Amino acid sequence: MSDDKALSCKECGKEFSFTAGEQRFYAEKGFENEPGRCPQCRLAKKRRGGKKELHTTVCAACNVETQVPFEPKEGRPVYCRECYKDRVKNAS
């Protein structure tokens, strides 16, 4: 961990430096993942209050349009709030 690492920001795509000092700090805190956002995008996210962008999709169970706080992936089912609650309740 003596060298800086060049990482790519998942928000803006720009390259940023993950310094040796930051790497030591992450290791001391037990963080397992490297930062995914550059300092500017981290600050912007903090200013937004960490609110997630909502993505519109169709529920895999009832075919109702719904919004979810993550980007749906092809081939993976996404459920509306009610169908998700039913699935969790029935799984236990």
Side-chain angles (χ1 to χ4, degrees), residues 31-74:
F31 299 151
E32 296 179 9
N33 299 318
E34 297 175 338
R37 292 179 179 85
C38 67
Q40 294 83 6
C41 288
R42 277 184 265 170
L43 181 60
K45 181 177 167 73
K46 190 182 250 185
R47 287 183 178 152
R48 289 191 305 264
K51 294 180 182 156
K52 293 190 180 243
E53 178 182 349
L54 294 177
H55 300 272
T56 302
T57 189
V58 175
C59 175
C62 68
N63 293 318
V64 169
E65 190 173 278
T66 187
Q67 290 190 322
V68 293
F70 56 88
E71 190 169 353
K73 303 269 191 254
E74 182 87 25

mmCIF file of all heavy atoms in Angstrom, residues 31-74:
data_model
loop_
_atom_site.group_PDB
_atom_site.id
_atom_site.type_symbol
_atom_site.label_atom_id
_atom_site.label_comp_id
_atom_site.label_asym_id
_atom_site.label_seq_id
_atom_site.Cartn_x
_atom_site.Cartn_y
_atom_site.Cartn_z
ATOM 1 N N PHE A 31 -12.336 -1.335 6.057
ATOM 2 C CA PHE A 31 -13.111 -1.228 4.822
ATOM 3 C C PHE A 31 -12.517 -2.183 3.797
ATOM 4 O O PHE A 31 -11.312 -2.188 3.568
ATOM 5 C CB PHE A 31 -13.095 0.196 4.259
ATOM 6 C CG PHE A 31 -13.685 1.239 5.179
ATOM 7 C CD1 PHE A 31 -13.242 2.545 5.138
ATOM 8 C CD2 PHE A 31 -14.686 0.924 6.073
ATOM 9 C CE1 PHE A 31 -13.783 3.512 5.969
ATOM 10 C CE2 PHE A 31 -15.246 1.891 6.910
ATOM 11 C CZ PHE A 31 -14.783 3.183 6.853
ATOM 12 N N GLU A 32 -13.357 -2.989 3.182
ATOM 13 C CA GLU A 32 -12.877 -3.980 2.220
ATOM 14 C C GLU A 32 -12.928 -3.480 0.783
ATOM 15 O O GLU A 32 -12.205 -3.980 -0.073
ATOM 16 C CB GLU A 32 -13.680 -5.263 2.353
ATOM 17 C CG GLU A 32 -13.480 -5.923 3.704
ATOM 18 C CD GLU A 32 -14.285 -7.196 3.877
ATOM 19 O OE1 GLU A 32 -14.884 -7.672 2.885
ATOM 20 O OE2 GLU A 32 -14.310 -7.701 4.998
ATOM 21 N N ASN A 33 -13.775 -2.498 0.499
ATOM 22 C CA ASN A 33 -13.936 -2.003 -0.871
ATOM 23 C C ASN A 33 -13.235 -0.667 -1.058
ATOM 24 O O ASN A 33 -13.233 0.181 -0.164
ATOM 25 C CB ASN A 33 -15.413 -1.841 -1.214
ATOM 26 C CG ASN A 33 -16.162 -3.142 -1.138
ATOM 27 O OD1 ASN A 33 -15.672 -4.171 -1.570
ATOM 28 N ND2 ASN A 33 -17.343 -3.095 -0.556
ATOM 29 N N GLU A 34 -12.674 -0.485 -2.234
ATOM 30 C CA GLU A 34 -12.072 0.793 -2.590
ATOM 31 C C GLU A 34 -13.199 1.783 -2.878
ATOM 32 O O GLU A 34 -14.319 1.379 -3.182
ATOM 33 C CB GLU A 34 -11.213 0.621 -3.849
ATOM 34 C CG GLU A 34 -10.054 -0.319 -3.638
ATOM 35 C CD GLU A 34 -9.282 -0.588 -4.927
ATOM 36 O OE1 GLU A 34 -9.840 -0.409 -6.033
ATOM 37 O OE2 GLU A 34 -8.121 -0.994 -4.808
ATOM 38 N N PRO A 35 -12.903 3.098 -2.796
ATOM 39 C CA PRO A 35 -13.960 4.068 -3.111
ATOM 40 C C PRO A 35 -14.386 3.935 -4.561
ATOM 41 O O PRO A 35 -13.561 3.704 -5.452
ATOM 42 C CB PRO A 35 -13.300 5.425 -2.840
ATOM 43 C CG PRO A 35 -11.836 5.175 -2.873
ATOM 44 C CD PRO A 35 -11.637 3.751 -2.468
ATOM 45 N N GLY A 36 -15.672 4.061 -4.811
ATOM 46 C CA GLY A 36 -16.203 3.954 -6.160
ATOM 47 C C GLY A 36 -16.409 5.299 -6.821
ATOM 48 O O GLY A 36 -16.592 5.379 -8.024
ATOM 49 N N ARG A 37 -16.389 6.366 -6.017
ATOM 50 C CA ARG A 37 -16.616 7.709 -6.554
ATOM 51 C C ARG A 37 -15.406 8.590 -6.278
ATOM 52 O O ARG A 37 -14.761 8.475 -5.248
ATOM 53 C CB ARG A 37 -17.846 8.338 -5.897
ATOM 54 C CG ARG A 37 -19.142 7.681 -6.265
ATOM 55 C CD ARG A 37 -20.329 8.349 -5.556
ATOM 56 N NE ARG A 37 -21.558 7.710 -5.942
ATOM 57 C CZ ARG A 37 -22.041 6.614 -5.355
ATOM 58 N NH1 ARG A 37 -21.403 6.046 -4.352
ATOM 59 N NH2 ARG A 37 -23.178 6.100 -5.779
ATOM 60 N N CYS A 38 -15.170 9.527 -7.195
ATOM 61 C CA CYS A 38 -14.089 10.495 -7.014
ATOM 62 C C CYS A 38 -14.491 11.465 -5.887
ATOM 63 O O CYS A 38 -15.666 11.524 -5.503
ATOM 64 C CB CYS A 38 -13.843 11.251 -8.322
ATOM 65 S SG CYS A 38 -15.191 12.339 -8.849
ATOM 66 N N PRO A 39 -13.533 12.208 -5.343
ATOM 67 C CA PRO A 39 -13.874 13.127 -4.247
ATOM 68 C C PRO A 39 -14.995 14.118 -4.590
ATOM 69 O O PRO A 39 -15.845 14.402 -3.750
ATOM 70 C CB PRO A 39 -12.556 13.866 -3.986
ATOM 71 C CG PRO A 39 -11.503 12.886 -4.395
ATOM 72 C CD PRO A 39 -12.089 12.172 -5.589
ATOM 73 N N GLN A 40 -15.021 14.620 -5.836
ATOM 74 C CA GLN A 40 -16.066 15.573 -6.224
ATOM 75 C C GLN A 40 -17.448 14.915 -6.216
ATOM 76 O O GLN A 40 -18.412 15.502 -5.732
ATOM 77 C CB GLN A 40 -15.772 16.157 -7.611
ATOM 78 C CG GLN A 40 -14.540 17.018 -7.669
ATOM 79 C CD GLN A 40 -13.243 16.203 -7.838
ATOM 80 O OE1 GLN A 40 -13.258 14.986 -8.030
ATOM 81 N NE2 GLN A 40 -12.119 16.889 -7.735
ATOM 82 N N CYS A 41 -17.539 13.691 -6.736
ATOM 83 C CA CYS A 41 -18.830 12.994 -6.766
ATOM 84 C C CYS A 41 -19.255 12.562 -5.368
ATOM 85 O O CYS A 41 -20.442 12.554 -5.051
ATOM 86 C CB CYS A 41 -18.781 11.806 -7.720
ATOM 87 S SG CYS A 41 -18.746 12.304 -9.464
ATOM 88 N N ARG A 42 -18.280 12.201 -4.508
ATOM 89 C CA ARG A 42 -18.610 11.862 -3.110
ATOM 90 C C ARG A 42 -19.205 13.073 -2.410
ATOM 91 O O ARG A 42 -20.200 12.961 -1.697
ATOM 92 C CB ARG A 42 -17.368 11.388 -2.359
ATOM 93 C CG ARG A 42 -17.048 9.935 -2.583
ATOM 94 C CD ARG A 42 -15.887 9.505 -1.738
ATOM 95 N NE ARG A 42 -14.702 9.625 -2.580
ATOM 96 C CZ ARG A 42 -13.463 9.523 -2.180
ATOM 97 N NH1 ARG A 42 -13.185 9.326 -0.921
ATOM 98 N NH2 ARG A 42 -12.462 9.630 -3.017
ATOM 99 N N LEU A 43 -18.600 14.247 -2.634
ATOM 100 C CA LEU A 43 -19.102 15.476 -2.022
ATOM 101 C C LEU A 43 -20.491 15.812 -2.549
ATOM 102 O O LEU A 43 -21.388 16.166 -1.782
ATOM 103 C CB LEU A 43 -18.135 16.630 -2.281
ATOM 104 C CG LEU A 43 -18.502 17.972 -1.676
ATOM 105 C CD1 LEU A 43 -18.603 17.877 -0.149
ATOM 106 C CD2 LEU A 43 -17.472 19.016 -2.061
ATOM 107 N N ALA A 44 -20.699 15.671 -3.852
ATOM 108 C CA ALA A 44 -22.011 15.952 -4.443
ATOM 109 C C ALA A 44 -23.059 15.009 -3.869
ATOM 110 O O ALA A 44 -24.182 15.428 -3.564
ATOM 111 C CB ALA A 44 -21.944 15.817 -5.963
ATOM 112 N N LYS A 45 -22.721 13.735 -3.698
ATOM 113 C CA LYS A 45 -23.658 12.768 -3.118
ATOM 114 C C LYS A 45 -23.994 13.153 -1.681
ATOM 115 O O LYS A 45 -25.145 13.086 -1.261
ATOM 116 C CB LYS A 45 -23.073 11.367 -3.177
ATOM 117 C CG LYS A 45 -23.999 10.301 -2.627
ATOM 118 C CD LYS A 45 -23.376 8.928 -2.799
ATOM 119 C CE LYS A 45 -24.061 7.862 -2.025
ATOM 120 N NZ LYS A 45 -25.310 7.419 -2.481
ATOM 121 N N LYS A 46 -22.988 13.566 -0.946
ATOM 122 C CA LYS A 46 -23.207 13.974 0.450
ATOM 123 C C LYS A 46 -24.137 15.186 0.502
ATOM 124 O O LYS A 46 -25.033 15.261 1.338
ATOM 125 C CB LYS A 46 -21.862 14.308 1.094
ATOM 126 C CG LYS A 46 -21.923 14.514 2.581
ATOM 127 C CD LYS A 46 -20.557 14.878 3.120
ATOM 128 C CE LYS A 46 -20.026 13.753 3.939
ATOM 129 N NZ LYS A 46 -18.763 14.074 4.602
ATOM 130 N N ARG A 47 -23.945 16.128 -0.414
ATOM 131 C CA ARG A 47 -24.789 17.332 -0.456
ATOM 132 C C ARG A 47 -26.228 17.004 -0.817
ATOM 133 O O ARG A 47 -27.147 17.692 -0.397
ATOM 134 C CB ARG A 47 -24.225 18.346 -1.447
ATOM 135 C CG ARG A 47 -22.991 19.020 -0.932
ATOM 136 C CD ARG A 47 -22.500 20.063 -1.880
ATOM 137 N NE ARG A 47 -21.339 20.742 -1.332
ATOM 138 C CZ ARG A 47 -20.386 21.289 -2.051
ATOM 139 N NH1 ARG A 47 -20.461 21.270 -3.373
ATOM 140 N NH2 ARG A 47 -19.364 21.872 -1.469
ATOM 141 N N ARG A 48 -26.438 15.952 -1.622
ATOM 142 C CA ARG A 48 -27.798 15.521 -1.974
ATOM 143 C C ARG A 48 -28.452 14.803 -0.801
ATOM 144 O O ARG A 48 -29.612 14.424 -0.875
ATOM 145 C CB ARG A 48 -27.771 14.542 -3.151
ATOM 146 C CG ARG A 48 -27.418 15.117 -4.469
ATOM 147 C CD ARG A 48 -27.679 14.137 -5.600
ATOM 148 N NE ARG A 48 -27.035 12.851 -5.461
ATOM 149 C CZ ARG A 48 -25.881 12.485 -6.001
ATOM 150 N NH1 ARG A 48 -25.205 13.352 -6.715
ATOM 151 N NH2 ARG A 48 -25.402 11.271 -5.833
ATOM 152 N N GLY A 49 -27.698 14.574 0.239
ATOM 153 C CA GLY A 49 -28.223 13.863 1.395
ATOM 154 C C GLY A 49 -28.227 12.357 1.190
ATOM 155 O O GLY A 49 -28.936 11.633 1.863
ATOM 156 N N GLY A 50 -27.432 11.898 0.254
ATOM 157 C CA GLY A 50 -27.340 10.467 0.016
ATOM 158 C C GLY A 50 -28.584 9.875 -0.627
ATOM 159 O O GLY A 50 -28.741 8.675 -0.680
ATOM 160 N N LYS A 51 -29.474 10.739 -1.106
ATOM 161 C CA LYS A 51 -30.701 10.251 -1.729
ATOM 162 C C LYS A 51 -30.359 9.511 -3.013
ATOM 163 O O LYS A 51 -29.590 9.982 -3.826
ATOM 164 C CB LYS A 51 -31.655 11.402 -2.013
ATOM 165 C CG LYS A 51 -32.176 12.046 -0.758
ATOM 166 C CD LYS A 51 -33.098 13.173 -1.058
ATOM 167 C CE LYS A 51 -33.529 13.793 0.255
ATOM 168 N NZ LYS A 51 -33.944 15.157 0.100
ATOM 169 N N LYS A 52 -30.979 8.363 -3.170
ATOM 170 C CA LYS A 52 -30.715 7.543 -4.348
ATOM 171 C C LYS A 52 -31.625 7.955 -5.499
ATOM 172 O O LYS A 52 -32.768 8.343 -5.298
ATOM 173 C CB LYS A 52 -30.930 6.065 -4.033
ATOM 174 C CG LYS A 52 -29.929 5.512 -3.062
ATOM 175 C CD LYS A 52 -30.055 4.016 -2.993
ATOM 176 C CE LYS A 52 -29.058 3.482 -2.018
ATOM 177 N NZ LYS A 52 -28.092 2.627 -2.610
ATOM 178 N N GLU A 53 -31.078 7.828 -6.671
ATOM 179 C CA GLU A 53 -31.855 8.048 -7.880
ATOM 180 C C GLU A 53 -32.814 6.865 -8.043
ATOM 181 O O GLU A 53 -32.446 5.729 -7.809
ATOM 182 C CB GLU A 53 -30.892 8.098 -9.064
ATOM 183 C CG GLU A 53 -31.544 8.271 -10.387
ATOM 184 C CD GLU A 53 -30.530 8.266 -11.524
ATOM 185 O OE1 GLU A 53 -29.325 8.333 -11.268
ATOM 186 O OE2 GLU A 53 -30.985 8.164 -12.670
ATOM 187 N N LEU A 54 -34.038 7.147 -8.409
ATOM 188 C CA LEU A 54 -35.017 6.083 -8.598
ATOM 189 C C LEU A 54 -35.086 5.680 -10.064
ATOM 190 O O LEU A 54 -35.003 6.524 -10.952
ATOM 191 C CB LEU A 54 -36.397 6.530 -8.110
ATOM 192 C CG LEU A 54 -36.513 6.771 -6.609
ATOM 193 C CD1 LEU A 54 -37.906 7.280 -6.264
ATOM 194 C CD2 LEU A 54 -36.201 5.510 -5.829
ATOM 195 N N HIS A 55 -35.224 4.375 -10.299
ATOM 196 C CA HIS A 55 -35.311 3.828 -11.650
ATOM 197 C C HIS A 55 -36.689 3.188 -11.829
ATOM 198 O O HIS A 55 -37.148 2.451 -10.969
ATOM 199 C CB HIS A 55 -34.218 2.782 -11.866
ATOM 200 C CG HIS A 55 -32.842 3.338 -11.691
ATOM 201 N ND1 HIS A 55 -32.139 3.915 -12.715
ATOM 202 C CD2 HIS A 55 -32.055 3.432 -10.596
ATOM 203 C CE1 HIS A 55 -30.972 4.328 -12.264
ATOM 204 N NE2 HIS A 55 -30.906 4.049 -10.975
ATOM 205 N N THR A 56 -37.312 3.480 -12.942
ATOM 206 C CA THR A 56 -38.631 2.924 -13.237
ATOM 207 C C THR A 56 -38.464 1.572 -13.914
ATOM 208 O O THR A 56 -37.648 1.409 -14.808
ATOM 209 C CB THR A 56 -39.418 3.883 -14.138
ATOM 210 O OG1 THR A 56 -39.525 5.148 -13.465
ATOM 211 C CG2 THR A 56 -40.809 3.357 -14.423
ATOM 212 N N THR A 57 -39.248 0.607 -13.463
ATOM 213 C CA THR A 57 -39.220 -0.742 -14.019
ATOM 214 C C THR A 57 -40.595 -1.371 -13.849
ATOM 215 O O THR A 57 -41.497 -0.744 -13.302
ATOM 216 C CB THR A 57 -38.127 -1.598 -13.333
ATOM 217 O OG1 THR A 57 -37.974 -2.831 -14.030
ATOM 218 C CG2 THR A 57 -38.438 -1.853 -11.866
ATOM 219 N N VAL A 58 -40.755 -2.604 -14.293
ATOM 220 C CA VAL A 58 -42.022 -3.322 -14.168
ATOM 221 C C VAL A 58 -41.809 -4.502 -13.221
ATOM 222 O O VAL A 58 -40.835 -5.248 -13.341
ATOM 223 C CB VAL A 58 -42.506 -3.817 -15.551
ATOM 224 C CG1 VAL A 58 -43.757 -4.656 -15.424
ATOM 225 C CG2 VAL A 58 -42.758 -2.626 -16.466
ATOM 226 N N CYS A 59 -42.722 -4.667 -12.270
ATOM 227 C CA CYS A 59 -42.654 -5.761 -11.296
ATOM 228 C C CYS A 59 -42.726 -7.105 -12.019
ATOM 229 O O CYS A 59 -43.591 -7.319 -12.870
ATOM 230 C CB CYS A 59 -43.807 -5.637 -10.292
ATOM 231 S SG CYS A 59 -43.899 -7.011 -9.122
ATOM 232 N N ALA A 60 -41.837 -8.017 -11.647
ATOM 233 C CA ALA A 60 -41.783 -9.341 -12.265
ATOM 234 C C ALA A 60 -42.963 -10.215 -11.857
ATOM 235 O O ALA A 60 -43.275 -11.193 -12.536
ATOM 236 C CB ALA A 60 -40.474 -10.029 -11.890
ATOM 237 N N ALA A 61 -43.646 -9.880 -10.768
ATOM 238 C CA ALA A 61 -44.758 -10.708 -10.285
ATOM 239 C C ALA A 61 -46.122 -10.203 -10.764
ATOM 240 O O ALA A 61 -46.939 -10.978 -11.249
ATOM 241 C CB ALA A 61 -44.737 -10.785 -8.758
ATOM 242 N N CYS A 62 -46.355 -8.892 -10.652
ATOM 243 C CA CYS A 62 -47.697 -8.378 -10.963
ATOM 244 C C CYS A 62 -47.741 -7.469 -12.188
ATOM 245 O O CYS A 62 -48.795 -6.966 -12.548
ATOM 246 C CB CYS A 62 -48.270 -7.649 -9.752
ATOM 247 S SG CYS A 62 -47.421 -6.103 -9.356
ATOM 248 N N ASN A 63 -46.600 -7.223 -12.804
ATOM 249 C CA ASN A 63 -46.486 -6.404 -14.021
ATOM 250 C C ASN A 63 -46.910 -4.949 -13.851
ATOM 251 O O ASN A 63 -47.264 -4.285 -14.811
ATOM 252 C CB ASN A 63 -47.259 -7.032 -15.189
ATOM 253 C CG ASN A 63 -46.640 -8.327 -15.621
ATOM 254 O OD1 ASN A 63 -45.412 -8.439 -15.706
ATOM 255 N ND2 ASN A 63 -47.458 -9.330 -15.871
ATOM 256 N N VAL A 64 -46.870 -4.443 -12.617
ATOM 257 C CA VAL A 64 -47.187 -3.041 -12.350
ATOM 258 C C VAL A 64 -45.888 -2.238 -12.440
ATOM 259 O O VAL A 64 -44.830 -2.689 -12.006
ATOM 260 C CB VAL A 64 -47.814 -2.896 -10.942
ATOM 261 C CG1 VAL A 64 -47.912 -1.452 -10.509
ATOM 262 C CG2 VAL A 64 -49.176 -3.551 -10.906
ATOM 263 N N GLU A 65 -45.975 -1.035 -13.001
ATOM 264 C CA GLU A 65 -44.804 -0.166 -13.060
ATOM 265 C C GLU A 65 -44.463 0.285 -11.643
ATOM 266 O O GLU A 65 -45.346 0.652 -10.870
ATOM 267 C CB GLU A 65 -45.094 1.042 -13.945
ATOM 268 C CG GLU A 65 -43.862 1.868 -14.240
ATOM 269 C CD GLU A 65 -44.126 2.964 -15.249
ATOM 270 O OE1 GLU A 65 -44.110 2.687 -16.457
ATOM 271 O OE2 GLU A 65 -44.354 4.102 -14.789
ATOM 272 N N THR A 66 -43.174 0.248 -11.313
ATOM 273 C CA THR A 66 -42.720 0.623 -9.977
ATOM 274 C C THR A 66 -41.382 1.322 -10.085
ATOM 275 O O THR A 66 -40.743 1.294 -11.139
ATOM 276 C CB THR A 66 -42.626 -0.618 -9.061
ATOM 277 O OG1 THR A 66 -42.350 -0.199 -7.726
ATOM 278 C CG2 THR A 66 -41.553 -1.588 -9.532
ATOM 279 N N GLN A 67 -40.968 1.968 -9.006
ATOM 280 C CA GLN A 67 -39.656 2.620 -8.961
ATOM 281 C C GLN A 67 -38.818 1.954 -7.882
ATOM 282 O O GLN A 67 -39.321 1.637 -6.800
ATOM 283 C CB GLN A 67 -39.798 4.106 -8.678
ATOM 284 C CG GLN A 67 -40.404 4.865 -9.839
ATOM 285 C CD GLN A 67 -40.325 6.343 -9.637
ATOM 286 O OE1 GLN A 67 -40.483 6.853 -8.534
ATOM 287 N NE2 GLN A 67 -40.063 7.064 -10.725
ATOM 288 N N VAL A 68 -37.542 1.759 -8.214
ATOM 289 C CA VAL A 68 -36.616 1.115 -7.285
ATOM 290 C C VAL A 68 -35.354 1.968 -7.160
ATOM 291 O O VAL A 68 -35.006 2.694 -8.092
ATOM 292 C CB VAL A 68 -36.257 -0.317 -7.753
ATOM 293 C CG1 VAL A 68 -37.469 -1.236 -7.671
ATOM 294 C CG2 VAL A 68 -35.695 -0.322 -9.163
ATOM 295 N N PRO A 69 -34.654 1.900 -6.005
ATOM 296 C CA PRO A 69 -33.478 2.737 -5.782
ATOM 297 C C PRO A 69 -32.174 2.136 -6.333
ATOM 298 O O PRO A 69 -31.099 2.466 -5.872
ATOM 299 C CB PRO A 69 -33.430 2.844 -4.254
ATOM 300 C CG PRO A 69 -34.000 1.558 -3.795
ATOM 301 C CD PRO A 69 -35.072 1.215 -4.800
ATOM 302 N N PHE A 70 -32.276 1.242 -7.301
ATOM 303 C CA PHE A 70 -31.093 0.644 -7.923
ATOM 304 C C PHE A 70 -31.395 0.441 -9.401
ATOM 305 O O PHE A 70 -32.551 0.434 -9.816
ATOM 306 C CB PHE A 70 -30.738 -0.699 -7.266
ATOM 307 C CG PHE A 70 -31.859 -1.693 -7.289
ATOM 308 C CD1 PHE A 70 -32.030 -2.546 -8.373
ATOM 309 C CD2 PHE A 70 -32.765 -1.764 -6.238
ATOM 310 C CE1 PHE A 70 -33.082 -3.460 -8.401
ATOM 311 C CE2 PHE A 70 -33.811 -2.680 -6.260
ATOM 312 C CZ PHE A 70 -33.969 -3.528 -7.341
ATOM 313 N N GLU A 71 -30.356 0.286 -10.189
ATOM 314 C CA GLU A 71 -30.560 0.083 -11.617
ATOM 315 C C GLU A 71 -30.843 -1.385 -11.887
ATOM 316 O O GLU A 71 -30.004 -2.242 -11.591
ATOM 317 C CB GLU A 71 -29.331 0.533 -12.396
ATOM 318 C CG GLU A 71 -29.556 0.569 -13.870
ATOM 319 C CD GLU A 71 -28.430 1.252 -14.615
ATOM 320 O OE1 GLU A 71 -27.531 1.826 -13.989
ATOM 321 O OE2 GLU A 71 -28.462 1.190 -15.855
ATOM 322 N N PRO A 72 -32.024 -1.703 -12.392
ATOM 323 C CA PRO A 72 -32.359 -3.100 -12.672
ATOM 324 C C PRO A 72 -31.398 -3.702 -13.700
ATOM 325 O O PRO A 72 -30.960 -3.024 -14.625
ATOM 326 C CB PRO A 72 -33.770 -3.030 -13.238
ATOM 327 C CG PRO A 72 -34.317 -1.726 -12.758
ATOM 328 C CD PRO A 72 -33.135 -0.806 -12.697
ATOM 329 N N LYS A 73 -31.066 -4.970 -13.508
ATOM 330 C CA LYS A 73 -30.167 -5.689 -14.414
ATOM 331 C C LYS A 73 -30.978 -6.662 -15.263
ATOM 332 O O LYS A 73 -31.919 -7.284 -14.776
ATOM 333 C CB LYS A 73 -29.117 -6.470 -13.623
ATOM 334 C CG LYS A 73 -28.281 -5.620 -12.681
ATOM 335 C CD LYS A 73 -27.053 -5.135 -13.379
ATOM 336 C CE LYS A 73 -26.083 -4.515 -12.402
ATOM 337 N NZ LYS A 73 -25.996 -3.121 -12.444
ATOM 338 N N GLU A 74 -30.583 -6.801 -16.506
ATOM 339 C CA GLU A 74 -31.228 -7.729 -17.436
ATOM 340 C C GLU A 74 -31.182 -9.142 -16.870
ATOM 341 O O GLU A 74 -30.162 -9.593 -16.366
ATOM 342 C CB GLU A 74 -30.483 -7.692 -18.777
ATOM 343 C CG GLU A 74 -31.071 -8.566 -19.845
ATOM 344 C CD GLU A 74 -32.161 -7.870 -20.635
ATOM 345 O OE1 GLU A 74 -32.156 -6.632 -20.703
ATOM 346 O OE2 GLU A 74 -33.006 -8.585 -21.179
#
